[in-house]
Structures are given as structure tokens and as C-alpha cells.
Amino acid sequence: MKNNSNISQELLETIERYYKGTMPKDERTSFELKLAEDQEFKVLVEDIKTLILGIENQSLKEQLDVFHEDLPKKISVEKRRVGAFPHLGKYAAAAAILLAIAFLWVYSVPQNERLYAKYFTPDPGLPTVMSSNSNFEFYDAMVNYKQGEYKMAIDKWDVLKTKTPNNDTLNYFLGVAHLANKNETTAIDLLKQVTQNSNFALSDEAFYYLGLAQLKQGNIDDAKKNLKHSKTDNSKALLSKLND
């Protein structure tokens, strides 16, 4: 991981909004365009995503107590640093402490969770063209999904699932939405169903997300088996990491 000690509080908050799904649509569109065009920025964002999710991990939170006695010392050191950069504002010290703790403890997070945090990005979704009345409900939910409103998309797609329980496209996006919404068990059930159809257009992606869901739960062997069925670049890269 690169040394990201010069990350601003503003960038931290922007990345956090992106991964929590609270970023406005216009800002999200611009942010994702920059991710697509700037590989160095994409790597930086992925690194910070790993830190943010690592800090939220329960095992990491428990270990933060070790730092309580040292916080006054850390704050005094950071105050001297902030003095050289007054434009960073009153939150810079807190951000610097957050990053310092994250860098010290990030590798205490289990490997499967670190790899999941690094490699999981929700499927970008389908173009939301609602010209067909018959598919309006599906694409209406797709709009919510693409805006990071996973619970709302799931609720709408669940209604459709009662009518077409074996629709692979519907089950695939429901599975990925549940995975993005931190419900790995339901995601696995849905994605397993989809991967039974070898002719499904998104079969490679389904195996990839199934492998990711199993990785998140710590089922490394099952994750490897499913990742091997996917021809995506991310699957190959992740398998390489798991086999190191």
C-alpha cells in the first residue's frame, strides 16, 4: 500500500460518501469518470477504501483501545504539523490520527476481509432505459441500485422475484445488491442459482461475485473454486493473491 499521509480530510470524506452510497448522483458520475480515466487515483481510492472498511471491522475497533493512553501525545504532535498547513482546518488532526492508527493496524484485519475490501465494487448495472412498459419496474429499481440505494432496489426487485423467481438477470442483480448491502448469505444463495445456467450472459461476473461473497465469509476453498470459473481479470488477480 502506498504512503497516503498527505490525503486531505476532504478526500477522505468524499471517498467515504462514495462507498457508503450517500454521494449525490452528479457527484458520483464525475467521481466514477475520474476512477475510469485515472488509474493512479483509482489505486489511491481503493487503498483508502481498505482503510475505511478495516477501521469499521469489529476486531480493529477492539484494538483501538490500546491507543487511548497515547492520544494526547498524538494530538500534540499533529497540532504542530497542522500549523504548517492551516488551510486543512480543525479536522486535519483527527484525520491524521485516524490514518496513523489505520496504517498501524490495517494488517491485523484478516486477509480475506482485506482482499474483499480491495476487490469488491458493485456491478455497474444495466443502462436504465425505461422505454419498455413491461420492464419498467426492473429498471426503476436499477436506478436505485446505481445510486447506491441497495435496500430500496432490493425491495422493488423482491416484488418482481415473486412473479419470475427463475429470472437469472433479476437474481444476479439481487445477489449483488444483497452483497453490497452486507448480506452475504442471501447473496450466495441467489448467485449460486444463477451460476447453474452456463449460458447466462453474466456468468463470469456471477461466479466472481459468488467467490467474493464466500471470501467475505471466510470460505476460502469455495471462493477459489468459483473464482476459477470466472474469466474476469479481477478473478484472476484475486486468485493469484489467494494462492500466494
Side-chain angles (χ1 to χ4, degrees), residues 158-221:
D158 275 342
V159 175
L160 292 180
K161 184 170 172 59
T162 62
K163 303 174 185 177
T164 56
N166 297 316
N167 185 300
D168 289 326
T169 302
L170 175 61
N171 287 329
Y172 168 75
F173 282 106
L174 258 175
V176 178
H178 274 290
L179 188 54
N181 207 40
K182 301 181 181 179
N183 188 348
E184 296 86 22
T185 299
T186 302
I188 288 172
D189 290 340
L190 288 161
L191 292 168
K192 276 184 177 179
Q193 181 178 342
V194 173
T195 56
Q196 298 303 307
N197 181 4
S198 59
N199 295 320
F200 179 48
L202 298 173
S203 180
D204 285 334
E205 288 78 6
F207 275 113
Y208 174 64
Y209 284 110
L210 176 57
L212 275 175
Q214 291 166 330
L215 175 66
K216 182 66 162 59
Q217 289 195 332
N219 299 325
I220 309 302
D221 290 339

Side-chain angles (χ1 to χ4, degrees), residues 43-56:
V43 171
L44 174 63
V45 170
E46 288 176 349
D47 285 350
I48 298 306
K49 175 189 175 185
T50 300
L51 293 180
I52 291 172
L53 293 182
I55 291 169
E56 291 177 350

